[in-house]
Amino acid sequence: MGRKVTLATCSLNQWSLDFEGNLDRILKSVEIAKTQGAKYRLGPELEICGYGCADHFYESDTLLHSFQVLRMLLESPITQDIICDVGIKILLIRPKMLMANHGNYRELRWFSPWNQLRKVEEYFLPRMIQEVTGQETVPFGDCVLSTKDTCIGTEMCAELWNPRSPHIQLGLDGVEIFTNSSASHHELRKADQRVNLVKSATTKSGGIYLYANQRGCDGDRVYYDGCAMVAINGDIVAQGAQFSLNDVEVITATVDLEDVRSYRGELCHEPKPCHRVKVDFSLSTDDDIYLPAHQPITWLFHTPEEEISLGPACWLWDYLRRSGQAGFLLPLSGGVDSSSTACIVNSMCVLLCQAIEDNNSQVLEDVRRVVGEQSYYPQSPRDLCGHIFTTCYMASENSSSDTCNRAKDLSNQIGSTHININIDIAVKGILGIFSAVTGRWPQFQANGGSQRENLALQNIQARVRMLLAYLFAQLSLWARGKPGGLLVLGSANVDESLTGYFTKYDCSSADINPIGGISKTDLKSFLLYCVEHFQLTALRGILAAPPTAELEPLTDGQVSQTDEADMGMTYSELSVIGRLRKISKCGPFSMFCKLIHMWKDALSPTEVAQKVKHFFRMYSINRHKMTTVTPSYHAESYSPDDNRFDLRPFLYNTRWTWQFRCIDNQVTIKT
C-alpha cells in the first residue's frame, strides 16, 4: 500500500451569481489538478454561486442554479478519477457548524449552523442530481471521508479561527487530512494570522492541512486575496500567491502519510469517533517510493506597503473589467491621498503588463476590450496608463502653483492623460445665483466673513469639483473621439472618514475609492515605497508638503490652511483613536482611560480629555456622511464604513453629556 499522496488546493476568482463563469473556472481547476497528479482537489467556500450573494441567498433561483451547475460538474468527464468537494459522486454533505458573523460577515442572516456534534442524517437529493448519480440520499452532518489509505475531515473558513475548531477533535479521532474551503477577505497585516492558524492546526496533533480561498472582487467592498496553502505537521510545504490577476490558481503538494503517523506516535485518541463515509478510492499508489515529498518552505509575507500596492490594484482591475467602462478618472490634487490613488492605478498597470508578458491571454483580452482596440498590445505600464487613466487638476483662486506642479509631475511619471481645469467660473456662477435671490454675497473669514460663510464657500468649491469630475468622466473620451466612459475614483482615507473631515458630495465622492479603508500613516509609507519601487520621484515633494484642502484664500501666495490644524489632531493620533473606537470597542470614557496611559509622556490628562471629547464631537456631528460615502476597498479592521462593517447610528446627541461628565470627574480627581 502506498503512503504518499498528491493534493491540490485552489484560489479561484468566483463572481457572485456568475454560474457559467464559475462552472468554467471550477472545471479548469480540476483539470489542472489532475494534470499535476492530484487525487484530491479542494476549492473555496460557496464556489458555485460565489460567496458574496448576500440576500440573493434568500432566492430559490440561487439554490436551483447551484444544483444545475452541480449536475453539470457531476456529468463532466473532467471530474472523474479525483475526489473533489463537488466531485463525480456525492459522498457526503458536511454542513458548516460555526458561522462567521462579525465585521463584514453576516452568515447568520442567511444560514443556520449545524449544531449536532457527531450526528449524521440522510439528505434527499434533488431529482436532477439523482438522475446523474443514481443516489437517492447522501449522508449529511458531522462526518468524515474514509478512503482505502487515509481519512479526510473538513472545516470551513471561520471554523479555523474559532477556539472550538473542528480540526482539534478530528485530529484526536485519527483524521489525517484536514480541508478548509474559505472565503477570507484581505486586510492589511492579516496574512500572517491566517498562516499561523494553519500551521498551529497541525503543530499540536500532526496532520495535513489544505487551505483554499477565493480571489478577487466578488462584487462588494472586500477583496479575497487567495493565499492557498498546504501544511503538514506545523510546516508550510506549498504556497499560492496572495495577489494575482490569474482567475484560476492551483497548487499541489506531495506529502507522506507516514510522516503524520510518526508525528502522532504518542497521541491519545478521541473516545467519540466521527461517522465515517467509506470511499472505494485511494489517494496514493503502490509505486510511489520514488515520488519526492514536498519539503517545508518559509512563507514570503508582503509588507503593508506591498499589500496596498497589490490588493487595491487587483480589486480595481476586477471592478473595471466587469463594469464595461473604458478606464478611470481621478481628480488629482497633488496631495498624499489622491496621489496614493494614482499610484495604485499605476501599480495596476504594472501588474497587467507583467501578466500579459507572462502570456496571460485572459488579461490581454480584457485589456483590449477595455481600451476598445482589438489589436492593442501595451508597450509599457506608462503606455497602458495613458489609455485607461485620466487625471485632472481642478484649480481655484485658492490653489497654489506648488500643488498644480506636483500633480502635473506625478501625472507625467505614471503616464496618465492629464487635464488642467479652472473652477472659478462655476463657483462664481453658483454664488451669483445665490446673490440674485438673497441680495447677499458670502465672504471668507480671512476677508471678514463669518464661520458659516467660510464653510459654505469651501463646500461650494469641493462640490463643484465633484460635478466636473463626473462631467469629464462621461464626456472626455467623447471629446477625444473615443468610445466609452470613465469610472470616477475617490481619494478620502479612513482617518478622514472617521472624523468626517470632507465635504459631503465633494470630489472625494466617486464611483469607487481604493484608499477609503487605509490610514494616512500607511499611505505615506506606501508613497515612500512607490518612490523606490516605481521610481516615482515626484512623490518626494508631495510627501514633504503639509496636507491641505486648499479651500481658503492663500496668504502671500502660500497655503495657510492645513488638515491637521483643521481637525485639531494629528493623523497618527487619529489612527490610534480609530483603533480604540472600533477594535477595542471604546466609548469616550474608556478611550480616555486608555489614552492617559498611552500618551502620558506627551499629553496631560486634561489635554487627553480635550482630544477625546473633540474627536467624539466631530465623529458624531459628521457620522451621517458615512451613509453616502463612496464604496471603498476594505483594508482596515477599524474602518468606519457603515454599509456592513461598522453598524452604528448616524444621529447622536453630540454633547455626550453623561460620558463627558465622567471624563471631567476623573480629570478633576487627578488634578
Side-chain angles (χ1 to χ4, degrees), residues 455-472:
L455 184 59
L457 289 172
Q458 291 186 65
N459 289 343
I460 284 296
Q461 296 169 76
R463 288 177 174 136
V464 162
R465 286 177 171 136
M466 183 202 71
L467 294 174
L468 288 171
Y470 274 98
L471 176 63
F472 276 83

Side-chain angles (χ1 to χ4, degrees), residues 494-511:
V494 68
D495 297 327
E496 290 171 355
S497 296
L498 269 172
T499 58
Y501 184 66
F502 60 91
T503 301
K504 200 173 186 179
Y505 307 117
D506 72 344
C507 58
S508 66
S509 300
D511 293 312

Side-chain angles (χ1 to χ4, degrees), residues 135-258:
Q135 301 165 278
E136 188 175 70
T137 64
V138 293
F140 182 104
D142 182 15
C143 49
V144 298
L145 290 181
S146 183
T147 65
K148 291 181 176 180
D149 48 2
T150 189
C151 190
I152 306 166
T154 297
E155 62 182 11
M156 283 176 245
C157 200
E159 294 176 352
L160 171 63
W161 300 73
N162 195 281
R164 294 185 291 114
S165 296
H167 70 257
I168 298 171
Q169 297 299 322
L170 293 174
L172 291 172
D173 186 31
V175 172
E176 295 178 324
I177 300 175
F178 312 107
T179 68
N180 189 317
S181 299
S182 190
S184 178
H185 66 261
H186 171 241
E187 279 183 5
L188 296 179
R189 306 170 179 87
K190 179 181 176 183
D192 60 335
Q193 300 176 45
R194 206 184 279 148
V195 173
N196 287 338
L197 284 169
V198 169
K199 291 170 67 174
S200 174
T202 58
T203 298
K204 291 174 288 188
S205 60
I208 299 160
Y209 204 104
L210 271 70
Y211 178 87
N213 195 19
Q214 286 211 33
R215 168 182 290 155
C217 168
D218 192 24
D220 211 329
R221 291 157 170 79
V222 296
Y223 174 79
Y224 299 98
D225 57 334
C227 281
M229 67 187 93
V230 181
I232 178 171
N233 298 342
D235 291 319
I236 303 294
V237 294
Q239 169 187 352
Q242 184 175 9
F243 306 103
S244 173
L245 299 181
N246 294 325
D247 282 343
V248 177
E249 181 191 37
V250 179
I251 64 166
T252 58
T254 301
V255 288
D256 196 331
L257 295 172
E258 287 301 318

Side-chain angles (χ1 to χ4, degrees), residues 108-127:
L108 287 176
R109 181 176 174 89
W110 310 294
F111 306 105
S112 297
W114 179 261
N115 53 21
Q116 301 182 61
L117 191 67
R118 298 290 191 268
K119 296 293 179 65
V120 181
E121 297 178 356
E122 289 296 308
Y123 176 81
F124 280 87
L125 293 169
R127 282 193 296 271

